[in-house]
């Protein structure tokens, strides 16, 4: 493993420009996302319907943004992934993006613990014509993952962790047991409006993300980075990791 880079602690703090409060920033981030989506993503009535369906069903508005969906789709294609594991299906929006990245003989296993979410997701995946590629498993992901390990499920090429954040470290540990050298592990919501830097934050989701980072930092099998993102879904970020070829 490479020695850790020293962090430049000389932060160049600027007072924010007048008027650039968080609401104005959010409006701007949303406008820029709309611009990017209009330019780079072809009209997609199926995915539009999925987002409408999820909102109408009262699911939490935690679907990834369209341009984020395209990003995970592109990452999975770059990886030439045939076997994808998704932890946290919700309404299946990201599931559909990922399933579109795999070939006809590929497989996407998606884990969801809420029956209502899984039901909505199954309908959406069917509407997208992807049911034959997606194995949607209902139940607590920790249990489904343990079962898959026990049953010696072949390794996945690409893993997307996007479920309850308090379990992120456990999801990572179990994901590693379903990985091979070269497996890509992507994780959503690792910045949370910047709350991730709050060591004393009492939110178990923040502590879950912090344990996840500690685990990555101390695990020589992983080579990783994380990026902060802004956009229509606010201020958050993701972690991208690859399982090393050798220890
Ligand atoms: C939450 C979860 C998500 O996966 C997300 O993208 C945004 C928010 C949450 O649990 O608050
Ligand atoms: Mg998420």
């Amino acid at each position: 493993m490479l020695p850790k880079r020293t962090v430049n602690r000389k932060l160049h703090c600027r007072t924010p420009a007048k008027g650039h409060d968080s609401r104005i920033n959010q409006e701007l981030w949303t406008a820029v996302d709309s611009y990017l989506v209009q330019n780079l993503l072809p009209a997609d009535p199926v995915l539009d319907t999925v987002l409408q369906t999820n909102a109408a069903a009262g699911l939490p508005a935690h679907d990834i943004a369209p341009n984020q969906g395209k990003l995970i789709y592109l990452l999975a294609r770059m990886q030439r992934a045939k076997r994808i594991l998704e932890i946290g299906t919700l309404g299946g929006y990201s599931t559909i993006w990922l399933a579109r990245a795999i070939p006809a003989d590929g497989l996407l296993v998606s884990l969801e613990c809420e029956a209502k979410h899984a039901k909505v997701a199954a309908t959406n995946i069917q509407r997208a014509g992807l049911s034959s590629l997606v194995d949607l498993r209902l139940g607590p992901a920790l249990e489904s993952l343990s079962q898959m390990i026990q049953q010696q499920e072949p390794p996945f090429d690409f893993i997307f962790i996007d479920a309850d954040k308090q379990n992120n470290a456990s999801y990572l540990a179990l994901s590693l047991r379903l990985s091979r050298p070269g497996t890509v592990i992507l994780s959503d919501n690792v910045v949370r409006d910047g709350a991730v830097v709050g060591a004393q934050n009492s939110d178990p989701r923040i502590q879950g993300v912090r344990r996840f980072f500690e685990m990555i930092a101390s695990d020589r099998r992983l080579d990783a980075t994380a990026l902060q993102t802004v956009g229509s879904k606010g201020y958050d970020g993701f972690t991208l990791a690859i399982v090393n070829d050798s220890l």
Side-chain angles (χ1 to χ4, degrees):
M1 195 173 59
L2 295 171
K4 283 245 153 61
R5 212 172 267 278
T6 48
V7 175
N8 182 357
R9 295 185 184 282
K10 242 194 249 167
L11 294 172
H12 300 281
C13 289
R14 277 190 311 137
T15 38
K18 209 173 173 185
H20 279 236
D21 62 28
S22 60
R23 187 181 52 78
I24 290 172
N25 283 338
Q26 184 57 64
E27 281 173 14
L28 183 60
W29 301 339
T30 302
V32 172
D33 260 3
S34 297
Y35 173 81
L36 299 175
V37 168
Q38 273 164 27
N39 276 284
L40 300 174
L41 276 69
D44 199 324
V46 169
L47 285 176
D48 291 346
T49 303
V50 169
L51 290 180
Q52 285 160 14
T53 302
N54 294 353
L59 268 51
H62 297 162
D63 317 278
I64 54 176
N67 45 341
Q68 294 174 330
K70 183 93 184 250
L71 176 71
I72 66 169
Y73 156 87
L74 288 171
L75 289 170
R77 276 194 63 192
M78 288 172 189
Q79 170 73 344
R80 300 194 191 288
K82 284 185 81 169
R83 290 176 48 81
I84 296 181
L85 171 63
E86 178 179 58
I87 305 174
T89 315
L90 191 62
Y93 182 74
S94 53
T95 318
I96 291 170
W97 273 111
L98 289 171
R100 286 176 173 182
I102 59 177
D105 62 343
L107 173 71
L108 191 161
V109 177
S110 190
L111 311 180
E112 176 55 51
C113 79
E114 293 281 343
K116 178 184 163 185
H117 299 175
K119 192 163 175 240
V120 173
T123 306
N124 286 332
I125 292 161
Q126 186 160 35
R127 192 181 286 132
L130 294 164
S131 297
S132 65
L133 293 176
V134 178
D135 178 1
L136 185 51
R137 298 192 189 177
L138 179 62
L142 292 176
E143 287 175 21
S144 299
L145 291 165
S146 299
Q147 199 173 40
M148 289 163 79
I149 292 164
Q150 203 171 20
Q151 292 171 351
Q152 302 193 323
E153 178 84 26
F156 292 92
D157 307 310
F158 189 99
I159 300 176
F160 182 42
I161 302 176
D162 189 18
D164 52 316
K165 312 310 167 193
Q166 43 276 57
N167 281 319
N168 257 24
S170 303
Y171 293 148
L172 178 62
L174 295 170
S175 291
L176 278 164
R177 297 179 63 186
L178 292 163
S179 296
R180 56 161 174 86
T183 293
V184 167
I185 302 177
L186 179 69
S187 181
D188 192 25
N189 311 114
V190 299
V191 173
R192 314 297 306 238
D193 279 316
V196 69
V197 296
Q200 307 304 325
N201 193 309
S202 60
D203 186 335
R205 296 169 303 179
I206 300 302
Q207 292 307 322
V209 173
R210 289 178 62 86
R211 282 196 303 280
F212 168 84
F213 276 120
E214 285 160 24
M215 183 176 284
I216 295 177
S218 64
D219 196 320
R220 299 166 64 91
R221 290 171 294 181
L222 288 169
D223 205 0
T225 190
L227 286 180
Q228 307 183 66
T229 58
V230 295
S232 59
K233 305 300 289 195
Y235 168 35
D236 214 321
F238 60 87
T239 302
L240 183 64
I242 189 164
V243 179
N244 287 322
D245 283 343
S246 59
L247 296 179

